[in-house]
Each structure stands twice: as structure tokens, then as C-alpha cells.
Amino acid sequence: MTSLAKYSALYEEHMAQIQALSEKQEQEVADLLAENDQRLESLAPFSDAQSVNQEVTKQLEAVEEQISDALSEINSQLIG
């Protein structure tokens, strides 16, 4: 196998890994958003807007942190 063919095969392998990680990331984000939607639905019984706002803010911050952690993990896997 020539050097070019080796590098081409290695490139294809890395691109497949990147694609798999991207798909994993998309699924993790979709799962987190679905979880967030379920949490928001559970807030429907609240009648006090301030309580709802505080709870939504808290939950959104938690989701943001989870998304950030997932992206950091994927980036470290791509770089490492």
C-alpha cells in the first residue's frame, strides 16, 4: 500500500470517527432537549409566574451545563 493510500485510508477512518461523534453529539443534545420539554410540561400546574420563571431558569441552566459537558467531551475525544 502506498503512502498516499495509507493516508487516504487513515483520513477516511478519522472522518468516520468524527461523523460518529457528531451523530452522538446530536443525539445527546436531542435527548437533553426532550428531557427539558418534559420538565417544562411538569411546570404546567404552577400558577405563580415568578415560581415558574425561577424553575425554568434553573432547569435551563442545568441543560446548558449538560450540553456544555457533552460538547467538551466530544471535543476532547476529537483532539485526543
Side-chain angles (χ1 to χ4, degrees):
M1 185 180 264
T2 67
S3 291
L4 181 58
K6 287 179 187 177
Y7 287 119
S8 180
L10 186 58
Y11 172 80
E12 290 299 322
E13 180 183 336
H14 283 274
M15 291 306 293
Q17 290 173 346
I18 289 170
Q19 181 64 32
L21 287 172
S22 293
E23 290 170 3
K24 178 183 175 187
Q25 174 188 10
E26 288 175 12
Q27 186 58 50
E28 287 176 353
V29 169
D31 291 346
L32 291 171
L33 290 174
E35 181 182 329
N36 189 54
D37 287 344
Q38 290 175 345
R39 288 179 178 173
L40 288 175
E41 287 176 17
S42 72
L43 295 174
F46 286 88
S47 59
D48 179 12
Q50 183 62 29
S51 295
V52 172
N53 187 36
Q54 289 173 347
E55 184 64 24
V56 168
T57 299
K58 184 174 81 174
Q59 291 183 11
L60 286 175
E61 288 170 351
V63 169
E64 286 177 354
E65 185 176 339
Q66 290 175 329
I67 291 172
S68 177
D69 291 346
L71 290 174
S72 294
E73 179 183 338
I74 288 170
N75 283 335
S76 69
Q77 288 176 10
L78 287 174
I79 294 171

